[in-house]
Amino acid sequence: MTLCKKVYLLIFCLFVLTGCWDRVEVNDLAFVTATGIDKIEENKFRAAVQVPLPGNMGGAGSSGGGGGSGGESPFYVDSGVGRNIRESNDDLQQRMSRKLYFSHRRVIIFGADMAKAGFKKSLEVIIEQPQSRLSAYVLIAKGKAIEVLNATPHFEPFSSETIREMAKSSFGITVKDVLNDVEKPGKDPVIPIVETAKTQNGDGEDKNDEVMVNGAAILKDDKLKFFANDEEALGAFWLLEESPEKNYTFSVGDNKEINVSIDEKNLRHTYSVLGGVPSFSLTLDVEAAVMQNEADIDMDNLDSYELAIDSMEKKIKKEIDALLDHSTSEGIDVYGFGWHLYRHDNRQWEEKWADNWSSTLKKMEIDVQVNATIQETTNPGITIKE
Amino acid sequence: MRRLFNILKHNRKSKIPETMDLAISTDLDNNIKFLKKQFENSSDVVFRQITTAKNKAYIIFVDGLIDSARIELHAIQQLLEQTPADALDTTYIEEQIISVNSVTEENKFKKLLKQILDGNTILLVDKFDKALVLGAKGGSSRSISEPDTESVIRGPREGFTESLRVNTSLVRRKIHSNHLKVVSRTVGTETQTSLAILYLENLAPPQLVEEVLARIDRIKIDGILESGYIEELIEDDTWSPFPQIQNTERPDTVAANLLEGRVSIIVDGTPFVLILPTSFWQFIQASEDYYQRFHISVFLRLLRVTLLFLALLMPALYVAIASFHQEMIPTTLLLSIAASREAIPFPVFIEALIMELSFEALREAGIRLPKVIGQAVSILGALVIGTAAVEAGIVSAPMVIIVSLTGIASFTIPRFNLAISIRLLRFPMMILAGIFGLFGVVLGSIVLLTHLCKLRSFGVPYFSPLSPLKWSDLKDVFIRVPWWDMDRRPKQFVKEDPVREGSNLKASPNQKES
């Protein structure tokens, strides 16, 4: 055997004998777009997945039957039961001809019962799985998570896509954020709530379950404590959301509302420690533009302008206070006061507050200051001459 | 393989029979007898007997190679007018009778034979042991026309023809300088093909010219029919898939390269002229880049580099990502790929192979067929590949897009010989991608890059000026700076006289005429 032949044989072996034949065709995979995890009973979980059905999506090749996309749902939901998430997935896999593939999972929903019992272990599974995206959004369903997955919203083909879009525009929080918040000392996660609602089209026939991402679930570590009411949810927006874009309505008198769009908001905090107890002062600067001036207030007039921004500031402060009061009374740190102390005053934190942060939080003074400005006035209002 | 080498070696050793190197005698009949024997069974060789003064004479030429009108008017007619009283000798005939502009004397048969075959006319007169060679070549050749393979929107419209003299004159017309040297060589024991090696004496490195001449001189072959023969016989690494010698049909391209100190070889009988040494980047440059405004040239060059990568790697990347790294594709795109692949029976790799091969087949068919049928083929191909194959569920629509984009990308490479190598290399890349995924693609790219960096064209690194890096030469690689800034010749070739133009050439109101 000549050297040449030996080299060829070696190269051939390299191609054939290497363990790299792990090629997987796209059509042998079931792309999970969303997972919903519910707790059935103690140590028994139901993991539901939403999987698109490419055959029903009207692709060029698949329309051999002629308009195959009509009527049939482009996705389906199935679930498995097990003692943990992996076992549930294995249970589910037994019913699936295609391999579950989690790389494209963008949404993870926990049912309310599951969230109340704590979901940290389930989230850690996601980190352990190399396929999973840490950038998947985490949401909490008011009822069962599987019900949200079954929703058939009108706009997007999959409810997961709808949820992802809506979570992104609300204060969407990802797996990474949640795990960070759970692990950080002195910070508790706040997670958007997702629920279904019927299409409100009066007597119209086309009623589907629409998906609604609205409100905030307040957690203590990884355990759900309460669902914020509307006012507290707005407080969560002011405190936690980075993107300022929002339309906001406040009242300046009886039946006189002004709609503004928030252009910018900036939250700062300072703290001081008095007698071993820290106190925080939050300052929120808000810039807004008037969208609708129903009250016909003359914005060029200083008095009426101040009346407008006064009512706005008061309303915002009330919302923030409502959230902070409710959460601190339960020993929950939504804003991350403790995390701030941990970073900036670590010695005192370790000595005094680390072990009893919940009780410290209850007696901590939090002063909230709101400075609002209205910079653009599309409708400057009329001045009524007396 | 080894046996083939042996055959070649053996052939090289075997003696090629040579014409006897006899001198011409004074006896005309003997001479004619000898020549007629040499040209036995050659009906196109004409022996025309005339009597001039009192001497018998013969005019010998190959019909079709000479300008017969001129020979009739300036040689035959003049000779026939001589009266027997005139005393004749070859000098007298040369100086007083024949009015053809080029007349030389020969006294050896070997050279005489070559002159006849080259298209010259021979005059043999009785009692003289010298032959007169009348240089009146003629015959039909293609007129100068725009080259089909390298058409431009702006630029000269003339292209080389099959005639060596026309071609050298086309270059001479561009460079009116006595520095332009045209060295002549004859290669091919049977074809006796003339070669002209062109270079600018003051710019081309002497070692380079020497090397080129040496490599040409060691060629021993029976025939050279196209410059491709010469290219493969003198290039540095014939096993490399990349062309190391550029060929062109455009005189302006040759002139521009000569001005950068390169050497060009014109081969008689083909319009394709060789330019050497070359670098990889020359193959993605078109002559028009230098004629259009530089903005568009910069844009087009960057576009070509991008498309070069696409032409080489796109099917491979698609195969790798779609069958190994599904997480890299955006979800919605992945779902539409999955949807269109739902009914496809083949793996992505096989699908890609089928499509690429049928595309190559179509392209080949389009080139070989007569132009009228070629159009029908392309319509058929577009139907088969574009629509029917997708609807029948044999290939998926994204694959069609990938293959056609790749095809278009490979068409943007200005030099056809590089485009061929890219087309070929696409297949090993695809195979690597099908086996190893992106890892394979990266591996293949590394091997390719290493090879490109190692390759040399007549001693000049093939990947220069990128590797080895020469910052100053980069102004004419991915971009082209405006002409007023192109002040130096490429350092790789020209060492002695690097300055191409004056400084401060940029027009501005502040510059005084000096």
Side-chain angles (χ1 to χ4, degrees), chain A residues 163-219:
Chain A
I163 297 168
R164 189 176 71 86
E165 294 284 344
M166 290 167 80
K168 204 161 79 180
S169 59
S170 144
F171 56 96
I173 180 164
T174 62
V175 174
K176 193 182 98 194
D177 299 333
V178 172
L179 284 174
N180 270 341
D181 285 354
V182 169
E183 292 297 331
K184 275 179 193 170
K187 170 86 180 92
D188 294 309
V190 176
I191 296 176
I193 301 168
V194 59
E195 55 189 318
T196 56
K198 282 274 174 224
T199 320
Q200 296 179 11
N201 54 355
D203 294 334
E205 281 190 356
D206 192 12
K207 279 193 173 55
N208 282 7
D209 281 333
E210 302 283 349
V211 171
M212 191 163 78
V213 173
N214 188 19
I218 312 295
L219 288 83

Side-chain angles (χ1 to χ4, degrees), chain A residues 15 24-25 27 98 101 104, chain B residues 323 326-327 329 331 342 435:
Chain A
F15 278 78
V24 185
E25 289 301 319
N27 301 91
R98 298 185 178 187
Y101 192 70
H104 287 272
Chain B
S323 51
Q326 287 90 357
E327 66 275 7
I329 313 174
T331 310
E342 196 66 13
I435 295 173

Side-chain angles (χ1 to χ4, degrees), chain A residues 14-15 18 20-27 29 31 33 52 54-55 57 59-62 98 101 103-104 106 133 158, chain B residues 322-327 329-331 334-343 346-348 390 397 431-432 434-436:
Chain A
L14 187 77
F15 278 78
T18 42
C20 290
W21 288 96
D22 52 357
R23 184 172 56 81
V24 185
E25 289 301 319
V26 175
N27 301 91
L29 296 173
F31 301 104
T33 54
M57 281 173 43
S62 61
R98 298 185 178 187
Y101 192 70
S103 291
H104 287 272
R106 291 300 200 27
R133 293 187 182 217
F158 322 113
Chain B
S323 51
F324 286 94
H325 317 278
Q326 287 90 357
E327 66 275 7
I329 313 174
T331 310
L334 177 66
L335 289 179
S336 60
I337 289 176
S340 62
R341 279 194 50 76
E342 196 66 13
F346 307 112
V348 182
V390 173
I431 293 169
L432 279 174
I435 295 173
F436 300 111

Side-chain angles (χ1 to χ4, degrees), chain B residues 86-137:
Chain B
D86 296 327
L88 284 182
D89 65 53
T90 44
T91 325
Y92 179 77
I93 295 175
E94 185 180 338
E95 287 175 1
Q96 308 265 335
I97 301 173
I98 306 282
S99 54
V100 174
N101 54 6
S102 149
V103 179
T104 48
E105 290 182 1
E106 279 311 340
N107 56 1
K108 290 275 165 61
F109 274 115
K110 188 186 171 190
K111 284 186 179 165
L112 204 61
L113 284 174
K114 183 165 167 23
Q115 296 286 12
I116 295 172
L117 292 169
D118 279 354
N120 291 316
T121 311
I122 306 295
L123 174 65
L124 275 171
V125 185
D126 197 16
K127 303 208 171 58
F128 299 114
D129 59 350
K130 278 178 192 157
L132 288 181
V133 178
L134 316 182
K137 287 186 192 174

Side-chain angles (χ1 to χ4, degrees), chain A residues 57-74:
Chain A
M57 281 173 43
S62 61
S63 58
S69 58
E72 296 203 32
S73 168

Side-chain angles (χ1 to χ4, degrees), chain A residues 245-299:
Chain A
E245 276 162 42
K246 187 178 177 64
N247 288 326
Y248 188 65
T249 309
F250 59 92
S251 154
V252 289
D254 288 341
N255 290 332
K256 285 178 180 172
E257 275 84 35
I258 290 181
N259 298 62
V260 293
S261 85
I262 312 293
D263 290 336
E264 236 171 79
K265 76 185 177 69
N266 183 15
L267 185 64
R268 290 164 288 149
H269 61 253
T270 52
Y271 78 98
S272 56
V273 183
L274 260 178
V277 180
S279 70
F280 271 83
S281 123
L282 295 173
T283 312
L284 177 69
D285 296 324
V286 179
E287 266 178 33
V290 175
M291 290 284 120
Q292 189 182 354
N293 188 351
E294 196 191 27
D296 266 346
I297 280 183
D298 180 10
M299 287 289 178

